[in-house]
Structures are given as C-alpha cells and as structure tokens.
Amino acid sequence: MTRELPWSGSHQTNGTGGSRYGSVQFTFDFKDLVKGRKVYWVEAQTGYKPPACRFLISDQEVKHLPVQLYDAAREDGPLRYVDGVWYWNHNLTGEFLLEASLLTSECRKVDFIRHHAQFCAIGGCSDQGKEGDGAAGRVIAYILSRKTDVIDAPLVVTAPKKVLSSAVERGLSRICMALGAISGKLNGPLNSNTSVDAALRAAMLQYAEGERNAAVETVKLIGSDDIFRKRLGSMVEAHFGVKSEVMAS
Ligand SMILES: [Zn+2]
C-alpha cells in the first residue's frame, strides 16, 4: 500500500500519540529534497515496529560508503517514483538521511503539533504531552519581534484568498493569553503607538526566548488591552501583508 509523498492527512510524525520531535513541524516536498541528488539504499532496521528502511539522499561521492544506488523508478522497494510522483509504502517506517542543509526557507508548510506524552527524541523536555499552542505563541512572537521573513510564505494561505494560516492565528491568541492581555487589567503608562510598539516587541522577544514572567512585566507598561491588541494587529498586518482575524475580533 503506498501513499503519495509528502504524507497528507495526518500531521503527526509518530503515530496518533503525537510527535517525539517536539511541537514545531516543518513540511517539505520530497521532490525538492531529491532534486539534483541521488537516492541510496542503506539498510533495513528490523528491530523497529514497523521495520525501518534507511536511505541516503546525496549529491556527494559515496564510493567509500556501504550503500547501493536506488533507482526508485525501477526498484521493487518501499520508495517508488511513478509518472513524476513519489510514493512510500506506509506499512514501513522510512528513514532518510539528507547529506545537505535542510533550509527552512524551502519548507512548504509550518504547523504546531502535539508532542508525544512519553517519547521525546532528546530524552525529555518540558513540552511532552502539550498540544503545540505554546510553541505557536513563541515562534510567532519571535518572527514578529525579530522581523524575520524566512518562513513567511508557508505561514500565509494564498488560495482561494490571502489569509493568515491557522498556525499564525493560533500563535497570536497564545501571545495575548500568555502576556496577560485578555483580562482588561493592563493599565501602564505607555499609550503612544511608538512606545507601545517598542514595549510589545521587547516583551515578545522575552517570551520567545522562554522568559515569560519577564515578558508579562514588560507588557504591564502598556496602557490597555485594547491598545496592546491594536498594535499587535497592526504589526501582524505590516509583517505578513494581511490582517489577522483573531486580532480583529
Ligand atoms: Zn521533547
């Protein structure tokens, strides 16, 4: 049974229990990763359930390696290439080693997903079992405070009309909640756009770096929840070129 790559439908990378690689998921198109490179069969790891087939994707000289060139258009293996489409037999685990940099600027989609409750690839982190809202908040806060545009394209939906992806909207909701701008308690001395923008940007950078308590203290300098939301909404529109529905409501 084969399924087109990249895997569509499920956003979980490790079964239904969630991902063991954390809550930020970058989706690449398999054909982008193999373009200009060759695929090599490495080995089968039968100790895994389901067993894993290991491949190397490289444009380097591999004569010194115990690998075999794998022609996906002809081989009778779990990875197939037919009429311009890549397929994978999803009854098996696939492990692909890419001998190149995996550039986030080439990813097609960004999602925030559930971290597995027990399994963690780095042996244990504070996100186990979490749904990914905290990760969404921190990533979006980083993008807005640092004005980095490297993953803007996969964070914006362009058809049928241009809107922010649910990943961004989810991050914005989380930022408002995490920074204490949802209960009408903000009553600080800052009210001008310039000063509120500076405080907001500083607070989001603190939050993105994991200093949530310090970020909440910075946000307390802002005059009201209303101006916090208004300036955050305007920052989002300036950055992505599209309005946030969450910030407008
Ligand atoms: Zn973890």
Side-chain angles (χ1 to χ4, degrees):
M1 204 177 195
T2 54
R3 195 184 287 182
E4 190 174 336
L5 286 169
W7 293 267
S8 53
S10 167
H11 291 314
Q12 306 295 357
T13 50
N14 198 38
T16 52
S19 167
R20 52 192 287 265
Y21 303 103
S23 291
V24 185
Q25 177 171 274
F26 298 100
T27 302
F28 290 81
D29 194 326
F30 194 75
K31 68 174 183 294
D32 292 343
L33 303 181
V34 291
K35 195 175 176 190
R37 301 185 176 113
K38 286 177 178 159
V39 178
Y40 300 90
W41 166 261
V42 179
E43 63 179 359
Q45 169 53 265
T46 53
Y48 287 5
K49 281 185 187 160
C53 296
R54 290 177 168 160
F55 292 90
L56 170 69
I57 300 169
S58 177
D59 60 0
Q60 305 293 308
E61 179 56 64
V62 299
K63 277 197 183 110
H64 59 295
L65 297 174
V67 298
Q68 269 179 289
L69 186 64
Y70 181 93
D71 180 354
R74 303 165 71 101
E75 300 278 357
D76 191 22
L79 178 67
R80 306 277 180 90
Y81 183 70
V82 183
D83 295 334
V85 182
W86 288 90
Y87 295 90
W88 176 255
N89 177 345
H90 69 99
N91 291 321
L92 296 166
T93 301
E95 293 189 338
F96 299 92
L97 180 67
L98 178 67
E99 194 174 20
S101 296
L102 194 54
L103 303 175
T104 46
S105 58
E106 285 177 8
C107 84
R108 302 292 185 110
K109 199 165 183 292
V110 176
D111 296 288
F112 301 105
I113 59 171
R114 179 179 161 78
H115 187 310
H116 198 283
Q118 286 97 41
F119 302 128
C120 173
I122 57 170
C125 70
S126 58
D127 286 339
Q128 279 163 268
K130 292 187 181 165
E131 296 297 332
D133 293 281
R138 290 178 60 186
V139 169
I140 301 306
Y142 187 87
I143 288 170
L144 293 172
S145 57
R146 275 294 179 223
K147 300 184 183 178
T148 173
D149 61 0
V150 71
I151 54 168
D152 279 5
L155 287 173
V156 174
V157 176
T158 50
K161 64 172 192 149
K162 192 175 174 186
V163 291
L164 291 176
S165 66
S166 56
V168 178
E169 298 284 20
R170 206 173 151 201
L172 293 171
S173 300
R174 186 62 174 214
I175 289 169
C176 294
M177 199 188 87
L179 300 188
I182 52 165
S183 49
K185 287 186 183 149
L186 293 183
N187 186 27
L190 305 181
N191 281 295
S192 76
N193 288 354
T194 316
S195 56
V196 170
D197 287 358
L200 185 52
R201 191 154 274 148
M204 284 199 292
L205 190 55
Q206 288 173 310
Y207 174 52
E209 296 289 348
E211 298 171 31
R212 180 172 167 180
N213 294 342
V216 168
E217 290 305 313
T218 305
V219 164
K220 283 181 185 166
L221 296 168
I222 295 174
S224 66
D225 289 32
D226 199 43
I227 194 166
F228 174 103
R229 295 176 64 86
K230 215 174 79 192
R231 294 315 301 162
L232 180 56
S234 141
M235 215 177 269
V236 169
E237 193 179 354
H239 183 89
F240 291 103
V242 51
K243 275 192 164 71
S244 156
E245 286 172 17
V246 165
M247 299 312 300
S249 61

